[in-house]
Amino acid sequence: MFYGYLPMIVAGLGVTLSVASVSLLVACAFGLAGAIAKLSPSPLLRGVATAYTTVIRSLPDLLLMLGVFYGGQILLNRLVDSQGWDYIEIDPFAAGTLTLGFVFGAYLTETFRGAILAIPRGQIEAGHACGLTRWQVLSNITLPQMIRHAIPGFTNNWLVMLKATALVSIIGLDDMVHRAGLASAATRAPFTFYALTGVIYLAVTTVSILVLSGVERRFSRGVRREVVR
Amino acid sequence: MINWQIVSETLPFFLDGLWITLLLLALSISAGLVLSIPLSVARASANPWIRIPVWSYTYVIRGTPLLVQLFIIYYGLPQFEAIRESAIWPVLRSPWFCAWLAFTLNTTAYTTEMFAGAIRATPAGEIEAARAIGLGRLQVLRDVFWPGAWRRALPQYCNEVVQMMHATALASTVTIVEILRVARDVYTNYLVLPESFGIAAAFYLTLTIILTQTFRLLERHYLRHLDPRASVSKAAAAEPIHA
């Protein structure tokens, strides 16, 4: 049915998932830094973080990705020329994951900011009053509760980012969508391969939703559930 | 730093691209709005035979990348001989139709879920009260139910329109010359970044600001009853306060 291309496409899932997970790590780093900057007393940090989230969320991710990919190549060429090295080509994996991480970091900034604000201040004060160190307060009080508040927004951002990984095929990364294109060209069965890619994406989305709702339940232990109806 | 000569030479192309972007956005958003109104009623229905088919559609669309949906339609459909030999083939093979179809199917799914949420959030008492004062079924729908649901959905709908505007950039992958395609062509011809992707970014940024400000005005109009300042009359607000 897939003319023997099934293993190749499924192997592309590995590329897609590694792009998604590296991007997620980058996005979490940018998101945490952005949230902390937005909540900081310094107007400069707040201004930088606000400009970051506003501008990034106003641009299409494909534009940013192409900009980073081509712009990175120009910068790299200049560096290579000034150092007298041989020509280096920009790595599409690095360009793709950095862009996706940077873009979704802006969305996660808002998620994390809201999650930190949702923790009652009194708890943090109480922690200090009991003699806990700053680190103990962070790791035992702020972070575990922040995770619970951040999970719904985080789930949503992860699902959107997972789908956005399809864009890396445009800058030449050998992910599922790119491989589906190659297999289509070889077999003249584009519907079969793009539909297969869609089905695999749908499966990953479904698994993600199930796993993350399990995580949410775990982090909501000890919190009274409101009984609906 | 910016080569203004390149900018003035390529600006007409960017303006053409802007027109295409706006046209794609308007065509898919309006079709999506029209389709999602009946679909959202079905999605919020208590009858599983009506609710589940709509849910399956939105779940599949929302669980797969728009780029893949676009490729399935644009590259995928010609795989079938029946489609290639059908009467509508000249329409189906145009990239414009494929992009419009993909964008419309996509935005309809997201908008349907959004409106269905707004419908489910309608307080039962509101409908009962309207029936109690003697409004007919149609009047309740037209004067009570829809205005309320529309108001509840409006802030989210703004996000959907902005995201759809950004999504039109994907049309550049199927040979449609919208803003991003112009930027890519300018980059290929001149190998400059600020004059290609930088200008495109300025266009998208401006469009985003215009769209969000328009929706802010709409929200101020439709959600006026939620604005605490609106209850203060203009004359009273203009009075100087003597403390």
Side-chain angles (χ1 to χ4, degrees):
Chain A
M1 183 181 173
F2 299 110
Y3 310 90
Y5 281 96
L6 188 62
M8 181 182 107
I9 306 271
V10 172
L13 175 63
V15 179
T16 295
L17 288 179
S18 52
V19 170
S21 40
V22 175
S23 307
L24 184 69
L25 288 179
V26 178
C28 284
F30 275 112
L32 269 179
I36 291 167
K38 274 208 165 179
L39 294 170
S40 94
S42 147
L44 178 73
L45 280 180
R46 281 205 308 268
V48 170
T50 308
Y52 163 57
T53 53
T54 312
V55 172
I56 293 299
R57 295 192 300 162
S58 302
L59 297 175
D61 13 10
L62 182 58
L63 173 113
L64 287 161
M65 195 173 282
L66 292 171
V68 169
F69 184 61
Y70 294 126
Q73 185 67 61
I74 291 178
L75 288 180
L76 203 61
N77 288 351
R78 281 196 195 139
L79 181 74
V80 163
D81 283 346
S82 67
Q83 302 291 318
W85 297 336
D86 278 338
Y87 178 74
I88 307 175
E89 206 160 85
I90 193 161
D91 180 31
F93 186 85
T97 49
L98 267 180
T99 319
L100 286 176
F102 193 60
V103 170
F104 285 91
Y107 290 91
L108 280 180
T109 295
E110 298 300 334
T111 306
F112 289 160
R113 193 184 80 98
I116 292 175
L117 283 177
I119 300 168
R121 269 196 75 80
Q123 294 202 11
I124 292 161
E125 283 166 15
H128 285 297
C130 294
L132 299 183
T133 63
R134 281 178 89 84
W135 170 247
Q136 283 175 318
V137 168
L138 188 71
S139 64
N140 293 321
I141 298 177
T142 313
L143 278 181
Q145 297 192 81
M146 184 198 132
I147 292 176
R148 178 169 72 84
H149 291 294
I151 287 173
F154 180 85
T155 304
N156 208 20
N157 279 314
W158 160 254
L159 294 175
V160 178
M161 198 184 74
L162 185 68
K163 287 177 276 168
T165 58
L167 299 181
V168 296
S169 62
I170 298 173
I171 58 170
L173 207 63
D174 196 22
D175 75 325
M176 269 196 304
V177 181
H178 191 250
R179 288 174 188 222
L182 296 178
S184 307
T187 58
R188 296 195 180 176
F191 186 89
T192 313
F193 290 105
Y194 285 122
L196 172 66
T197 308
V199 168
I200 299 177
Y201 265 111
L202 197 61
V204 178
T205 305
T206 306
V207 171
S208 300
I209 293 174
L210 293 176
V211 168
L212 283 164
S213 65
V215 172
E216 187 178 3
R217 265 199 303 280
R218 188 178 157 76
F219 276 93
S220 304
R221 283 170 317 175
V223 180
R224 183 160 25 104
R225 257 169 216 284
E226 281 181 41
V227 183
V228 186
R229 266 174 278 180
Chain B
M1 172 141 180
I2 293 182
N3 185 340
W4 291 104
Q5 202 193 333
I6 300 182
V7 174
S8 65
E9 270 172 29
T10 55
L11 198 61
F13 299 106
F14 273 109
L15 292 176
D16 288 346
L18 171 67
W19 167 241
I20 303 291
T21 294
L22 289 177
L23 203 60
L24 269 175
L25 177 68
L27 290 176
S28 12
I29 283 291
S30 48
L33 187 60
V34 170
L35 288 171
S36 54
I37 290 172
L39 282 176
S40 60
V41 176
R43 177 70 181 88
S45 156
N47 181 346
W49 291 102
I50 299 175
R51 186 177 70 234
I52 290 176
V54 181
W55 172 81
S56 327
Y57 157 68
T58 64
Y59 189 78
V60 168
I61 295 285
R62 295 185 310 144
T64 49
L66 175 57
L67 186 71
V68 172
Q69 294 159 14
L70 179 62
F71 284 1
I72 288 178
I73 294 173
Y74 182 67
Y75 294 117
L77 288 186
Q79 180 179 332
F80 304 105
E81 210 175 318
I83 290 177
R84 281 202 312 272
E85 278 164 12
S86 71
I88 53 165
W89 174 233
V91 178
L92 273 181
R93 72 183 212 196
S94 109
W96 258 94
F97 177 80
C98 294
W100 172 80
L101 184 63
F103 293 165
T104 300
L105 286 176
N106 194 269
T107 185
T108 302
Y110 286 93
T111 313
T112 298
E113 285 298 324
M114 198 180 291
F115 286 174
I119 290 173
R120 280 190 294 260
T122 303
E126 216 170 274
I127 306 297
E128 284 166 15
R131 298 284 293 162
I133 58 169
L135 296 187
R137 285 189 82 87
L138 197 70
Q139 274 178 311
V140 170
L141 272 184
R142 194 190 60 199
D143 299 333
V144 180
F145 177 71
W146 278 117
W150 168 244
R151 281 175 170 85
R152 268 184 288 279
L154 192 59
Q156 285 179 31
Y157 189 63
C158 170
N159 281 339
E160 171 59 22
V161 174
V162 170
Q163 270 171 20
M164 218 41 227
M165 191 266 284
H166 293 164
T168 57
L170 293 184
S172 64
T173 59
V174 292
T175 74
I176 294 176
V177 189
E178 42 62 75
I179 298 175
L180 189 62
R181 186 75 247 175
V182 175
R184 292 174 77 171
D185 293 346
V186 171
Y187 178 81
T188 319
N189 288 337
Y190 298 92
L191 288 175
V192 283
L193 206 66
E195 297 84 347
S196 56
F197 293 109
I199 297 286
F203 271 98
Y204 284 114
L205 201 61
T206 314
L207 280 181
T208 308
I209 292 170
I210 293 174
L211 281 176
T212 45
Q213 291 304 316
T214 310
F215 271 96
R216 189 161 295 175
L217 286 179
L218 282 177
E219 276 175 40
R220 197 173 295 166
H221 174 74
Y222 284 112
L223 302 177
R224 200 175 144 79
H225 59 290
L226 296 178
D227 182 358
R229 283 165 307 172
S231 56
V232 183
S233 76
K234 278 209 174 111
E239 289 278 315
I241 298 163
H242 305 286

